[in-house]
Amino acid sequence: MAVAALTFAAHHILHSKPKPSSSVFLLNSTTLKTTITFNNFISISSASPFFLPRHKSTQTAAVASSSSSSVLELGGVKITKQDVVKDEPTNNVPDLIFTKLGLQLHRRDHHPLGILKNAIYDYFDTNYNNQFHKFDDLCPIVTTKANFDEVLVPADHVSRSYNDTYYVDAETVLRCHTSAHQADLLRKGYSNFLVTGDVYRRDSIDSTHYPVFHQMEGVRVFTPSDWNNSGIDGTLYAAQDLKACLEGLARHLFGAVEMRWVDSYFPFTNPSFELEIYFQEKWLEVLGCGVMEQEILKRAGKTDNAAWAFGLGLERLAMVLFDIPDIRLFWSTDKRFTSQFTKGQLGIKFKPFSKYPPCYKDMSFWINDSFTENNLCEIVRGVAGDLAEEVVLIDNFTNKKGMTSHCYRITYRSMERSLTDEEINELQWNVRDQVQSQMNVELR
């Protein structure tokens, strides 16, 4: 399976808190129709362990609103807000997330993510004689089959939960990884390709996590004629070619750095690896990769083939290469940020234009059985947008009656201006009100 999906699975299997946008395997995305409608609603009981009651938040002026009548065209698919943000029990896409659809930061040549994407393109064009097809405008709305089933995500896997994934309806999601397009491209006959796109996950709030980020996945397929004269089997041949390719990519991006391969486990590749480089006096995980499971190739009609796949998170690498300290900055339209970067110039170091003071607000409440931190973060983001810098649990205890209390510290800070006490107090009161009403908790 593609590396994007690999890291996607590892993110849920191995870590209680997700890694910063690391590699993810491309799931096979079934191509959506030219105009998209989502009428196939399937009711799922709120008692299901994977779905929680549906709530919409009322957002403040801190979050830009999208016109409900606006029409986006994503990868040839026309989409309105009503297609994505719907008042249905299985829909959990907030207005804030809809405002990110169509922005496609990775397609902006003067943006750090676009500069990085193009640098990776240059490597593959030069070293593989333009053999890799490039896709960077595929629609991010995909079926659950494409996002999960076709990359072998188990039916009971935590990544399918309402808590982790944005559902348009019970059978449609905002892709969690670029792997959502892998199987479809394989079926269409592509043997060498790169897929770049925005991906969506309900996540925590801190300097390295954001509910929208960008990934790139690469896939290369081999036929028996490629390895028959090598004296090794297809799996070993693909693994050796994969490592040589990615070591070259790491040198292309980071220079003559020390590298090491770490054996890993992903449900969709075997063997599986992570590449780490020694950069700025520490080991940095660059990407996940592996030899694609035969089942994925078999389903795509490539029974006798072998293939490799890798996946990487663009934000994660760009934060290192450009010295960008906060993932929210990628979304900034402030010229003091955007003017610092130039097309084709990889690794220009970001110069902070100001450091505005943070404001800390604490909130304590008795939690219930359905409480999750991701749901809390969704409410905070819905109210404060990018003014929410961090949400962290600072205290918890259980009383003699068995009731558990959590205390969260919310850090508010703008990257572009100072916030007033009046603004912050209004944000905090709105957060408290919505946490109490939507999460059915008792404030302390």
Side-chain angles (χ1 to χ4, degrees):
M1 150 168 205
V3 173
L6 292 188
T7 51
F8 164 72
H11 154 92
H12 292 287
I13 294 171
L14 302 177
H15 304 284
S16 58
K17 274 216 172 188
K19 290 182 179 181
S21 12
S22 58
S23 52
V24 180
F25 267 46
L26 298 172
L27 295 177
N28 174 4
S29 84
T30 304
T31 304
L32 295 173
K33 305 301 180 185
T34 305
T35 56
I36 193 164
T37 57
F38 304 110
N39 298 321
N40 298 324
F41 172 69
I42 296 178
S43 178
I44 296 184
S45 168
S46 62
S48 164
F50 300 110
F51 287 86
L52 298 177
R54 177 76 173 98
H55 293 290
K56 286 288 185 184
S57 62
T58 303
Q59 299 180 4
T60 69
V63 180
S65 61
S66 287
S67 170
S68 60
S69 61
S70 61
V71 178
L72 301 173
E73 186 165 335
L74 304 174
V77 179
K78 293 182 179 179
I79 300 166
T80 68
K81 183 175 179 181
Q82 292 92 331
D83 292 324
V84 181
V85 182
K86 303 192 292 186
D87 189 17
E88 293 184 352
T90 55
N91 182 287
N92 65 345
V93 182
D95 292 346
L96 175 64
I97 295 301
F98 179 79
T99 66
K100 306 298 184 182
L101 286 171
L103 295 184
Q104 297 184 318
L105 303 182
H106 60 286
R107 304 189 74 203
R108 303 180 183 185
D109 291 342
H110 293 270
H111 190 280
L113 300 182
I115 295 168
L116 175 57
K117 181 197 75 173
N118 290 332
I120 298 172
Y121 280 1
D122 290 342
Y123 170 78
F124 280 94
D125 287 346
T126 301
N127 291 276
Y128 293 91
N129 195 28
N130 296 303
Q131 294 177 15
F132 277 76
H133 292 85
K134 305 178 191 71
F135 302 91
D136 70 353
D137 189 28
L138 298 177
C139 183
I141 302 175
V142 300
T143 64
T144 53
K145 179 180 180 182
N147 199 68
F148 299 118
D149 300 335
E150 291 187 321
V151 281
L152 311 182
V153 176
D156 60 350
H157 197 277
V158 64
S159 64
R160 294 179 181 255
S161 77
Y162 181 101
N163 188 53
D164 283 37
T165 296
Y166 289 110
Y167 278 81
V168 175
D169 58 39
E171 296 181 337
T172 315
V173 298
L174 298 181
R175 64 184 171 209
C176 304
H177 37 218
T178 44
S179 299
H181 306 284
Q182 183 189 101
D184 187 51
L185 293 174
L186 288 171
R187 282 194 298 266
K188 289 179 176 178
Y190 293 102
S191 295
N192 304 293
F193 56 86
L194 301 170
V195 179
T196 312
D198 43 336
V199 298
Y200 299 79
R201 297 184 199 167
R202 303 176 91 241
D203 215 337
S204 52
I205 297 177
D206 58 38
S207 63
T208 60
H209 292 83
Y210 201 78
V212 189
F213 54 102
H214 299 76
Q215 293 177 343
M216 178 186 290
E217 172 155 337
V219 172
R220 191 178 192 196
V221 181
F222 303 95
T223 64
S225 61
D226 293 316
W227 70 77
N228 277 343
N229 297 326
S230 67
I232 56 178
D233 64 18
T235 297
L236 185 56
Y237 183 88
Q240 291 181 353
D241 187 88
L242 169 67
K243 289 184 175 182
C245 171
L246 296 181
E247 287 173 2
L249 176 60
R251 286 190 291 270
H252 179 73
L253 298 178
F254 293 94
V257 293
E258 184 181 353
M259 305 178 214
R260 68 185 182 190
W261 288 98
V262 179
D263 290 336
S264 190
Y265 166 75
F266 305 116
F268 324 112
T269 54
N270 185 20
S272 304
F273 315 101
E274 291 179 352
L275 175 61
E276 296 181 350
I277 64 170
Y278 194 72
F279 188 72
Q280 296 177 346
E281 300 184 348
K282 62 182 179 181
W283 285 102
L284 171 71
E285 179 192 333
V286 176
L287 49 78
C289 60
V291 178
M292 197 178 298
E293 283 283 6
Q294 279 297 308
E295 179 62 24
I296 294 174
L297 290 169
K298 180 181 177 181
R299 293 182 184 183
K302 300 181 181 295
T303 303
D304 298 326
N305 298 116
W308 56 245
F310 75 86
L312 54 83
L314 292 179
E315 276 90 345
R316 180 173 190 166
L317 297 187
M319 290 179 80
V320 174
L321 288 166
F322 294 92
D323 279 354
I324 295 174
D326 193 306
I327 196 169
R328 294 175 298 164
L329 280 164
F330 290 109
W331 300 92
S332 176
T333 57
D334 192 310
K335 289 185 178 180
R336 291 173 295 177
F337 176 78
T338 59
S339 64
Q340 293 192 33
F341 307 101
T342 304
K343 178 181 178 179
Q345 295 189 22
L346 183 68
I348 295 175
K349 302 306 180 184
F350 168 69
K351 296 180 177 61
F353 41 82
S354 188
K355 186 70 171 179
Y356 296 99
C359 179
Y360 306 100
K361 294 290 185 178
D362 294 349
M363 180 172 58
S364 299
F365 49 84
W366 299 104
I367 67 170
N368 51 40
D369 291 341
S370 64
F371 173 82
T372 70
E373 192 167 304
N374 277 0
N375 286 338
L376 171 64
C377 290
E378 281 296 301
I379 290 175
V380 175
R381 277 200 183 97
V383 172
D386 286 353
L387 298 181
E389 179 173 270
E390 185 175 48
V391 175
V392 60
L393 178 67
I394 60 172
D395 185 50
N396 73 92
F397 70 91
T398 301
N399 66 15
K400 294 180 180 180
K401 296 181 180 179
M403 298 173 63
T404 298
S405 171
H406 282 186
C407 181
Y408 284 90
R409 176 159 294 164
I410 303 173
T411 303
Y412 297 101
R413 189 205 311 251
S414 170
M415 297 173 290
E416 300 168 355
R417 62 184 179 85
S418 292
L419 299 177
T420 66
D421 290 340
E422 186 177 66
E423 281 181 287
I424 295 166
N425 288 335
E426 182 178 0
L427 290 172
Q428 183 68 4
W429 279 112
N430 284 336
V431 167
R432 288 172 59 87
D433 179 63
Q434 293 198 31
V435 166
Q436 184 174 31
S437 62
Q438 293 191 26
M439 303 191 75
N440 195 29
V441 299
E442 182 183 344
L443 296 178
R444 299 182 60 233

